[in-house]
Amino acid sequence: PAPRARPGQGSQVPSPSTSSARRTMLALGATALRRAASSAIAPVGGATARLLHRSPSPSSPAAASSAPSSAGAAAAEDASVLASMPALGVVRHDWTTAQVEALYRRPLLDLVFDAASVHRAHHDPRQVQQCTLLSIKTGGCPETCNYCAQSSSWKETTELKAERLMAMDDVLNAARRAKEAGSTRFCMGTAWRGPSQVGKGQFQRVLDMTSKVRDMGMEVCATLGMLDGAQAKALREAGLTAYNHNLDTSPEFYPKVTSSRNYEDRLNTIAAVRDAGISVCCGGILGLGEAESDRASLLRVLANLPEHPESVPINALVPVKGTPLEGLTPPGGLEMVRAIAVARLVMPRTVVRLSAGRIAMDRATQAMCFLAGANSVFTGDTLLTTPNNEKSEDDALMAELGLVGRPAFEPYLSGAASSDGSEWGVAAVAAASGGGGRGGGGGDARAPRVSASIAEGAKRVAEARERTRASLARH
């Protein structure tokens, strides 16, 4: 049957090519997962696109009469764009604006179906990484991000007081608690413009924290603001797994988010991190006042980076009292599902992290996010300065959905050698020959920084691949 029209948009009759594509989707859906062991899966998506959100107002007869034809033309154009695309599931870096926007406008259930198929082609669908984010230096940030309570520009209205950098013991105790609670990645955030703002002493303390958390057998991520090449290399030498530096939104909308830096600053830091051999964690925030086209533009930028980010956090705005964006309405749960599904399609091998704003989602919406391709979450009571889901709720949800945690240092399909699993094989060999541990020798310069638990990395790589193959066969 023809899709039900939105008010004022008239009806839409599928063209013969649309009906053929939908039959193709149904036929291929049953076999797509069995073919997923290859590097790309068959195109499983129908070419039908949902009607555009921004249709002419039906208030006038002229607008009402033009709505069916304009909506039909837009849908036909989207169908043509989608039909000309390479197979879904292929890792690409040449996405066009028209292609990503056409994906974004697809019927939600069709979009989720294809995203779920691509997800299972590249990932174990039951595995969800649990990460913990700790603000090790809160408040007093000189940046002017309109959504952030930590900016010193809004300190009078947010009433958030600037704090000193946390002590080493406090950070390590927090990391231990996170590990005991099931987290395998520990992320440290500072309210800095960048290490250059605070000097070498405080940056060295963060480097020391990084090494000590790494030696606990946890992956380590940091978000410290803008970096130069030397600072990125120092973090790599300290053992950093990944560096988070979100683009937040599209290049076009970014000037409305902050005035203290530009988009190029963000991209330069990402390049420095990548050049240092650190995996990139980079995503965005929904609900800043942007249009749907801005969300598509953000994902296009991420998907066209020289290397896809190892992980892409998809955040929902959590309005904070006293910030310029306190009056905005956060995005709905299905908006998050749509963004996650498109992220999965344009970056098939990337870990997609369901991040801030999850506390407002019910269990069914979170489950749909996992189905659409999310395979990582933040755990813990707070995310920097905003509330997060309680551990007991997350444990119950994981159990109900049959999800399992991701062990530390399993190989990532995207990202640098710091998290793709390759160096853990080297570490295992070094440890087996007596080179493991901080004080030992070994054939690789990285081995002394790797704890005994990480020496099992080579075995984990093989086990992870076998689990993925078995999971694909079951599904």
Side-chain angles (χ1 to χ4, degrees):
R4 180 175 297 174
R6 300 169 79 91
Q9 291 179 315
S11 62
Q12 179 191 32
V13 179
S15 65
S17 62
T18 296
S19 300
S20 175
R22 187 175 294 279
R23 287 195 299 271
T24 300
M25 178 186 76
L26 295 174
L28 292 177
T31 60
L33 299 180
R34 295 186 180 93
R35 300 169 58 187
S38 61
S39 60
I41 67 169
V44 296
T48 302
R50 66 187 173 88
L51 300 180
L52 293 171
H53 280 174
R54 299 175 184 82
S55 60
S57 170
S59 57
S60 67
S65 62
S66 66
S69 60
S70 61
E77 182 179 350
D78 281 352
S80 176
V81 170
L82 292 169
S84 65
M85 282 173 28
L88 294 178
V90 175
V91 176
R92 298 170 47 199
H93 303 269
D94 60 350
W95 289 91
T96 67
T97 299
Q99 289 172 344
V100 182
E101 289 187 351
L103 285 176
Y104 226 104
R105 287 191 290 260
R106 293 191 62 213
L108 182 61
L109 295 184
D110 289 351
L111 179 67
V112 170
F113 178 91
D114 284 354
S117 300
V118 169
H119 183 58
R120 282 157 174 73
H122 294 282
H123 305 269
D124 182 341
R126 294 185 60 217
Q127 194 176 78
V128 175
Q129 181 190 44
Q130 298 179 69
C131 312
T132 296
L133 174 61
L134 176 68
S135 178
I136 62 174
K137 198 288 172 196
T138 302
C141 182
E143 301 281 21
T144 59
C145 303
N146 290 330
Y147 57 83
C148 186
Q150 302 203 63
S151 171
S152 58
S153 298
W154 337 122
K155 63 181 180 181
E156 300 300 329
T157 50
T158 61
E159 299 180 355
L160 182 70
K161 296 181 179 179
E163 301 176 1
R164 295 177 179 273
L165 186 66
M166 287 179 63
M168 174 72 78
D169 287 346
D170 292 337
V171 173
L172 296 182
N173 287 335
R176 291 189 188 96
R177 290 194 298 271
K179 184 177 182 180
E180 292 169 358
S183 288
T184 56
R185 174 171 290 193
F186 190 70
C187 308
M188 299 180 291
T190 61
W192 293 344
R193 178 176 172 83
S196 298
Q197 168 207 343
V198 298
K200 296 181 179 180
Q202 291 196 60
F203 183 48
Q204 184 58 53
R205 289 174 61 190
V206 174
L207 295 175
D208 294 341
M209 294 174 186
T210 299
S211 294
K212 290 184 179 297
V213 174
R214 172 73 170 264
D215 282 346
M216 293 169 57
M218 298 187 77
E219 299 174 10
V220 191
C221 181
T223 177
L224 315 173
M226 292 187 288
L227 299 179
D228 59 30
Q231 292 160 348
K233 290 179 182 177
L235 286 164
R236 178 71 177 98
E237 288 299 315
L240 192 71
T241 305
Y243 191 81
N244 170 259
H245 201 64
N246 289 337
L247 291 178
D248 292 343
T249 187
S250 69
E252 299 81 9
F253 192 74
Y254 195 74
K256 296 183 180 180
V257 174
T258 182
S259 59
S260 56
R261 59 176 184 263
N262 57 46
Y263 216 70
E264 194 69 22
D265 293 329
R266 310 299 279 181
L267 294 173
N268 287 340
T269 290
I270 292 170
V273 169
R274 187 173 56 245
D275 291 346
I278 301 172
S279 285
V280 172
C281 172
C282 183
I285 306 171
L286 275 59
L288 302 176
E290 77 285 353
E292 190 174 80
S293 59
D294 291 305
R295 299 174 184 179
S297 178
L298 165 67
L299 294 176
R300 179 188 59 79
V301 171
L302 292 171
N304 286 347
L305 290 173
E307 296 175 3
H308 287 173
E310 172 234 68
S311 49
V312 170
I314 303 295
N315 298 274
L317 174 70
V318 179
V320 179
K321 182 180 179 180
T323 63
L325 301 187
E326 66 174 324
L328 293 186
T329 301
L334 295 184
E335 292 180 78
M336 294 290 285
V337 172
R338 183 175 293 279
I340 287 168
V342 176
R344 171 55 64 221
L345 290 176
V346 299
M347 292 171 282
R349 295 181 175 180
T350 290
V351 170
V352 178
R353 185 166 294 124
L354 177 57
S355 301
R358 186 167 63 92
I359 192 172
M361 294 183 182
D362 60 27
R363 295 156 72 91
T365 305
Q366 292 183 66
M368 198 165 182
C369 288
F370 294 130
L371 178 66
N375 54 350
S376 178
V377 295
F378 277 117
T379 60
D381 296 335
T382 58
L383 295 181
L384 297 179
T385 61
T386 58
N388 193 41
N389 305 59
E390 293 184 1
K391 181 181 182 301
S392 58
E393 296 175 349
D394 284 341
D395 288 347
L397 179 62
M398 294 274 284
E400 183 176 3
L401 298 181
L403 301 176
V404 296
R406 176 193 181 101
F409 305 114
E410 281 207 6
Y412 290 81
L413 299 177
S414 286
S418 62
S419 64
D420 70 359
S422 61
E423 69 177 20
W424 313 126
V426 173
V429 172
S433 61
R438 178 168 287 274
D444 187 271
R446 294 168 292 195
R449 292 197 304 272
V450 183
S451 64
S453 63
I454 300 175
E456 301 175 1
K459 180 180 178 182
R460 288 178 178 173
V461 170
E463 291 175 346
R465 289 172 178 160
E466 182 57 36
R467 281 198 302 272
T468 299
R469 283 194 292 268
S471 178
L472 292 172
R474 288 196 304 272
H475 289 81

